[in-house]
Amino acid sequence: METEIININTSTDKESIYKKLKQYYNENKLVAIPTETVYGLSADATKDEAVGKIYTAKGRPSDNPLIIHFYEISQLDNIVDYSDERVKKLAEYFWPGPMTLILNAKVNNNISKKASAGLETLAVRMPSNKTARNILKETRILLAAPSANTSGKPSPTRFSHVYHDLNGKIEVIIEDEQAEFGLESTVIDCTRTPLVIARPGEITKENIEAVLGIGSVKYNDEIMTETKIPIAPGMKYRHYSPEAELIVYHDTLDKLIEYLKTKNKKTGLITYSNNEKKVEHLPVVVKFLANNEKNIEQSNKNLYNILREFDNEKVDEIYMLPIKETKENVALLNRLNKAISKK
Ligand code: TXA
Ligand code: MG
C-alpha cells in the first residue's frame, strides 16, 4: 500500500483536506494524526472494519481496547454516561488536553465492539493539539486511536517515528510538529471510588486532587496490590521497549563511567547534558534526556525518541543512573520501568 503524507499546516486548501479525510474515514481508511501526547492511529470508531484494521496495522492484541477521541462533549451523549459530578469537573478543568477518562458505556451505543474489546466501559479523550482538534471538528467523526506505533515499540512522538513503523501499512500520515508532551495521556478510571489512575501522564494525581480533593484518586499500583488485576488491559503487556537491554546502574556517574570503559559490547548511556564534559571521550553512544534531572518536561518529550535512536544505532545495552521519584516524574518513571522490565 502507498501511504499518502499530508501536511495540513503548509497547505493552502485546508478545507479540501478535511473533506478528503472525512471521505477516507467513511471508506474505513486509517489516518495517523498528531496529538499533544503522542501520534495516534485513527479510524472511524463506529465501524468494525476500520477499527479491525487498526489492530492489524499495529500488530496489537485484540483484547486491548482503544481510546475514543472527540471534539465536543455532546458527541458522547449516546455513547457514555458522563453524569458523575467528578467527571464533569475533570472535563471542565483538563479538556481539551492529555487526559483520558474510562466511563460506563451506554447500552446500544454505536461504537464498534472491537474498539472497547468487549468491555462495558469506554475510554474517551478530547485532545488539545490544534491539528487533531481541527480534524475532529471538521469531520465530526468519533475517532478510535491508539498510539501510532508498532505494538511493543516506543510510542511515536515525531512524524519520522510514525513513518518508520507504519509507512506502507496505512493510508495516510498527517505530518506535524513533534508532540508537545511526549508521553501518553493520563488514563483515569471514573467507574470507581476513589478514582483510579490506570496510567500516569501529564495530568498528575496532585492536579486531580487540586480539583476533586485529597483522597479522591489512587494510583493503579495501590489497587493492583489489593486485587492483582490490571484495570487497563494495556498494562499487562510489555511496552515502550528498546531492542537493547536497559540497565539501571546503582552507583555514581563516575563509577558508571569507569565501568563503561571496560565494556566491549556496543553500549549506550542515557544522562543529562550538564554531564557533557564528563562523558565526552567515552567510547559509548551517549544520549541526553534533558539538560538536568530536574527538567521533567524535556525528559518526557525526549524519552521515546532516545529509545528509538538507540534502536537505530543497534546498541546491545543501555545504561543509566536511577532517577529519584518526585510528584512530577511519576509518568516518566512508569515508562522507564516498562522499558526496563523484560517479558
Ligand atoms: O495519549 C494517548 O492516550 C494516546 C493518543 C493517541 O491519544 N493514545 C494512546 O492509546 O496511548 P493506547 O491505545 O496506546 O493506550 C490506551 C490505553 C491502553 O493501556 C488501554 O488498555 C487503555 O488505555 N484502555 C482503553 N480503553 C479502556 C477501557 N475501557 N478500560 C480500561 N482501559 C482502557
Ligand atoms: Mg500505545
Side-chain angles (χ1 to χ4, degrees), residues 38-39 58 60 64 145-156 184 199 239-240 304:
V38 301
Y39 276 74
K58 275 182 64 87
R60 180 179 177 106
N64 193 4
S147 48
N149 53 306
T150 301
S151 243
K153 288 263 166 220
S155 287
E184 305 85 346
R199 182 176 69 187
H239 263 130
Y240 323 118
Y304 288 149

Side-chain angles (χ1 to χ4, degrees), residues 1 68 83 94 109 168 173 183 205 217 274 291 309 316 341:
M1 177 190 306
I68 312 302
S83 59
F94 301 118
N109 74 72
I173 303 176
L183 298 179
K205 186 181 181 198
V217 59
N274 59 358
N291 50 356
E309 282 181 350
D316 300 309
S341 68

Side-chain angles (χ1 to χ4, degrees), residues 2 15 92 113 167 192-193 204 210-211 220 293 319:
E2 182 141 1
E15 220 164 286
E92 189 185 323
K113 294 287 169 278
N167 183 43
R192 298 175 184 239
T193 308
T204 64
V211 174
N220 185 34
E293 186 170 334
Y319 286 84

Side-chain angles (χ1 to χ4, degrees), residues 309-323:
E309 282 181 350
F310 278 127
D311 277 354
N312 295 341
E313 294 178 48
K314 304 211 177 326
V315 302
D316 300 309
E317 291 176 342
I318 306 162
Y319 286 84
M320 63 182 295
L321 296 182
I323 299 177

Side-chain angles (χ1 to χ4, degrees), residues 182-196:
L183 298 179
E184 305 85 346
S185 62
T186 307
V187 178
I188 309 168
D189 186 343
C190 299
T191 67
R192 298 175 184 239
T193 308
L195 301 172
V196 176

